Amino acid sequence: FDGTLGKAITAEMKSPGGQNKALEHIMLFNDIAKNMMFDGWIAIGICVLMIAIGWTVAARKIFFLNSIEKGNREFLQQWSKVSNDLTTLERNSDASDKTKLNETPAMKRSPFYDIYHIGSEEITHRIAATNSGHKGLSGRSIQAVRAALDSGLVQLQHKLTDGLVYLTISIAG
């Protein structure tokens, strides 16, 4: 552009009918608003409400997913230090300084952390229930641990998808 478009618009605005054309386009919305019936205002109100709901859900999801991402990073960083001892996170207060974890509030929001605790609690419960002479977990106990983990995954999936129906409906609207 060498400024010819801007000059043409300015020339049209300066011409006798040019300002009227620009104002005519702006005033068109005013005319529509004046001539709109009650049901039209209801439709606009519903659309505005749906936009507000959509933006609210989207903003909440962005903040929620960012906090989960931060928690996952912290958990995985801690996990890499203690992964050879699977119960370190459960007995954090008894752990030696070498394997002690610094559990942060962000890490506690991590789905990895939640699933780890579900599995660890179930394994601890199953080991306590086995005979003292028996080493390891039975096949039935392993199935129970898997069922507990699957249940935890379903609950976390519901938490992650909470509110997305409202977002979908508001977008469709």
Side-chain angles (χ1 to χ4, degrees):
F1 282 83
D2 59 342
T4 55
L5 181 61
K7 290 177 187 175
I9 291 173
T10 305
E12 185 176 326
M13 291 287 286
K14 289 181 181 177
S15 67
Q19 273 186 321
N20 292 337
K21 285 184 181 182
L23 287 176
E24 182 179 328
H25 290 292
I26 294 171
M27 296 303 289
L28 181 63
F29 292 109
N30 188 27
D31 290 339
I32 291 172
K34 285 180 184 176
N35 294 323
M36 194 177 307
M37 293 184 179
F38 181 71
D39 57 344
W41 284 109
I42 290 175
I44 288 176
I46 291 171
C47 288
V48 168
L49 179 66
M50 292 172 80
I51 288 169
I53 290 170
W55 279 103
T56 302
V57 170
R60 284 182 53 228
K61 282 296 168 192
I62 287 170
F63 290 125
F64 180 65
L65 292 175
N66 284 337
S67 71
I68 284 176
E69 183 180 354
K70 182 180 178 186
N72 285 343
R73 274 194 313 264
E74 288 183 22
F75 176 80
L76 291 174
Q77 182 183 19
Q78 294 288 334
W79 177 254
S80 67
K81 295 176 185 175
V82 297
S83 61
N84 59 345
D85 184 3
L86 297 181
T87 59
T88 299
L89 287 174
E90 287 301 313
R91 62 172 200 267
N92 193 19
S93 59
D94 300 334
S96 67
D97 287 341
K98 184 179 178 184
T99 60
K100 192 170 184 178
L101 292 177
N102 298 322
E103 293 182 3
T104 64
M107 187 169 96
K108 291 182 179 181
R109 286 190 296 267
S110 168
F112 296 150
Y113 182 84
D114 290 341
I115 292 298
Y116 167 79
H117 278 288
I118 290 169
S120 180
E121 287 173 5
E122 189 65 30
I123 289 171
T124 302
H125 172 70
R126 295 294 168 176
I127 288 175
T130 61
N131 297 334
S132 59
H134 182 59
K135 299 274 185 179
L137 294 174
S138 67
R140 193 173 205 182
S141 293
I142 291 174
Q143 286 178 344
V145 171
R146 284 185 181 163
L149 290 172
D150 286 341
S151 173
L153 284 172
V154 168
Q155 290 174 356
L156 286 170
Q157 191 172 21
H158 284 289
K159 193 188 317 182
L160 289 171
T161 59
D162 184 41
L164 292 182
V165 170
Y166 299 115
L167 182 62
T168 304
I169 291 170
S170 67
I171 290 171

